[in-house]
Amino acid sequence: MAKVNVTVKILRFNPDVDEQPHWQTYEVKDIEETAQVLDVLHRIKWYQDGTLTLRSSCAHGVCGSDAMVINGHNRLACKTLVRDVMPTITVEPIRGLPVIKDLVVDMEPFFSHYKAVEPWFINPDPPPTRERLQSPEDRARFDDTTKCILCAACTTSCPSFWANGQYVGPAAIVQAHRWIFDSRDKGTAERLQILNDRFGVWACRTAFNCVEACPREIDITKAIGEVKKALTFGTVDF
Amino acid sequence: MGHVISAFWKGITYKGGPGHYAFILHRLTGIGVALFLILHILDNFIIMFGEEAFAEVLNLYANPVMRLLEVFLIFSVIYHAFNGLRVIIVDFWAPSSHVQRTLWILVWIVVIPLSLIAAWFTLAPIFGLR
């Protein structure tokens, strides 16, 4: 396996000592070109500078905790290979959320938007004795939006969200779509009402940054378009 | 104001796809057209000070620099109109999100020739060609 040397520029911020974020450069030698950017960051943290702060968990693109701006574009550090971004790798925290330290941001505003769309099963009917069955076609209707891992790569790449943090953002709309188009759920009208707001779906300006940033390749703008259509025509059957 | 500058900075330094740049240009051309509209209302207002004053102001538009600005204005109007149609299509016809890049190319196929034709008519008098 080919080994390479890379230069890593990281936007660092320590609220205890810094007034403004600043760039710090590290050289990482003899790293496999198929290594993840997350491996590179860990090499820096473990062997060069223990003060570097970042969030990661599963390291396999499932937990969604290591979204960051890598070479100017939102990605998961664990799903980005060194060979695709070398020789100079710039790493910044995702934009539009308050930075706590270095690459760690406060996700609370993001999660409060997520909770605002009531992302849980709503059906007041008495539960049946067995499962609530659904046809494969009805299940396929919202399959794409079940893939979201709440990494915030989409919402923090969205110009509308940068301009106004009150916008619920693409991730929350994706989560709402997952329930709105689920034939077993009865909370459709309620959720559509929540999203029928200037800071709901109508703040989407179709810049497609969310689609380009999503590590799960969800067709987010299409999902948002379907919610807009449901609001415009008053039905989810189309 | 600081918030607007910060959002603008995030916008121009983020490496998005064509949709991102279509979005930025849509905003810039929108602001350009709105600013011209204010100028246009002001220059029309000059007629309140008499015909001569009005003619003098209108003469300013024959100036090469103003003509060049007019070319940008025409480009802005055409781009904003056709990209606006693209956004409407993407908004209300969900399958089009798969062809949004193609739609963006189509916008340019319309905008570039129309802008060039308008530029010819606007700039030719500077060179005595019309």
Side-chain angles (χ1 to χ4, degrees):
Chain A
M1 201 69 71
K3 295 208 170 183
V4 291
N5 300 333
V6 290
T7 304
V8 188
K9 280 174 67 184
I10 303 175
L11 192 63
R12 302 210 50 191
F13 176 69
N14 179 352
D16 293 335
V17 292
D18 299 328
E19 281 196 3
Q20 290 292 324
H22 60 94
W23 291 98
Q24 193 162 346
T25 306
Y26 301 90
E27 301 293 334
V28 178
K29 297 195 186 304
D30 290 331
I31 188 132
E32 284 170 8
E33 60 174 19
T34 52
Q36 307 160 346
V37 169
L38 183 63
D39 295 329
V40 177
L41 295 173
H42 279 154
R43 278 266 293 264
I44 294 169
K45 182 171 175 65
W46 295 338
Y47 301 107
Q48 293 188 35
D49 186 347
T51 65
L52 178 66
T53 307
L54 65 137
R55 211 184 250 139
S56 76
S57 185
C58 77
H60 288 81
V62 180
C63 73
S65 49
D66 64 349
M68 43 190 85
V69 186
I70 300 171
N71 285 5
H73 184 83
N74 276 15
R75 310 166 205 251
L76 293 185
C78 61
K79 279 193 83 175
T80 308
L81 301 186
V82 168
R83 71 174 172 203
D84 296 327
V85 287
M86 61 182 204
T88 302
I89 306 170
T90 61
V91 186
E92 305 161 60
I94 44 178
R95 301 172 179 193
L97 293 170
V99 177
I100 295 173
K101 193 182 177 193
D102 295 340
L103 303 172
V104 177
V105 297
D106 180 5
M107 295 285 280
E108 218 30 66
F110 173 79
F111 286 126
S112 70
H113 287 318
Y114 169 53
K115 286 174 206 145
V117 301
E118 305 185 342
W120 48 77
F121 185 61
I122 298 173
N123 191 332
D125 298 344
T129 48
R130 295 193 60 217
E131 300 92 335
R132 293 174 198 265
L133 294 178
Q134 184 172 46
S135 71
E137 293 75 25
D138 282 348
R139 175 63 180 75
R141 184 76 185 80
F142 61 93
D143 188 63
D144 198 35
T145 45
T146 62
K147 297 187 295 188
C148 176
I149 55 173
L150 292 169
C151 65
C154 58
T155 296
T156 60
S157 71
C158 174
S160 292
F161 183 73
W162 296 334
N164 194 325
Q166 284 176 273
Y167 171 38
V168 291
I173 302 171
V174 161
Q175 292 291 337
H177 179 283
R178 182 255 169 271
W179 294 104
I180 288 168
F181 291 91
D182 186 334
S183 59
R184 298 164 298 186
D185 188 273
K186 299 272 171 73
T188 297
E190 210 171 307
R191 288 195 193 90
L192 286 177
Q193 189 59 38
I194 294 165
L195 291 173
N196 192 15
D197 186 270
R198 59 187 282 247
F199 296 122
V201 282
W202 305 115
C204 166
R205 298 286 187 268
T206 58
F208 287 91
N209 274 3
C210 53
V211 181
E212 310 254 355
C214 180
R216 306 288 305 202
E217 292 169 4
I218 300 171
D219 198 343
I220 303 171
T221 308
K222 183 174 174 226
I224 297 175
E226 288 182 343
V227 175
K228 283 177 179 169
K229 199 170 171 184
L231 276 167
T232 309
F233 297 104
T235 175
V236 291
D237 300 318
F238 49 79
Chain B
M1 192 65 193
H3 183 73
V4 175
I5 293 169
S6 153
F8 185 70
W9 181 249
K10 287 183 184 102
I12 56 169
T13 56
Y14 187 82
K15 287 184 186 150
H20 180 62
Y21 298 104
F23 168 87
I24 293 174
L25 202 52
H26 199 76
R27 264 76 214 151
L28 292 178
T29 52
I31 292 167
V33 171
L35 288 178
F36 179 80
L37 200 61
I38 294 168
L39 183 70
H40 184 58
I41 291 167
L42 287 177
D43 67 35
N44 270 311
F45 178 69
I46 301 292
I47 196 140
M48 301 295 289
F49 299 100
E51 246 173 73
E52 260 177 51
F54 183 60
E56 218 167 289
V57 171
L58 284 195
N59 264 342
L60 288 177
Y61 288 97
N63 177 303
V65 176
M66 286 304 278
R67 281 184 182 272
L68 198 62
L69 285 177
E70 275 177 359
V71 171
F72 280 112
L73 169 71
I74 295 164
F75 163 77
S76 297
V77 171
I78 298 171
Y79 174 83
H80 203 81
F82 283 93
N83 191 54
L85 291 176
R86 169 182 161 271
V87 171
I88 292 170
I89 292 170
V90 169
D91 254 345
F92 289 104
W93 187 50
S96 64
S97 70
H98 294 289
V99 291
Q100 61 102 359
R101 282 165 187 263
T102 315
L103 287 173
W104 162 246
I105 294 166
L106 279 177
V107 166
W108 284 110
I109 288 175
V110 177
V111 170
I112 293 173
L114 284 181
S115 299
L116 286 177
I117 293 167
W120 161 256
F121 281 105
T122 315
L123 297 177
I126 300 175
F127 307 102
L129 294 173
R130 269 188 71 239

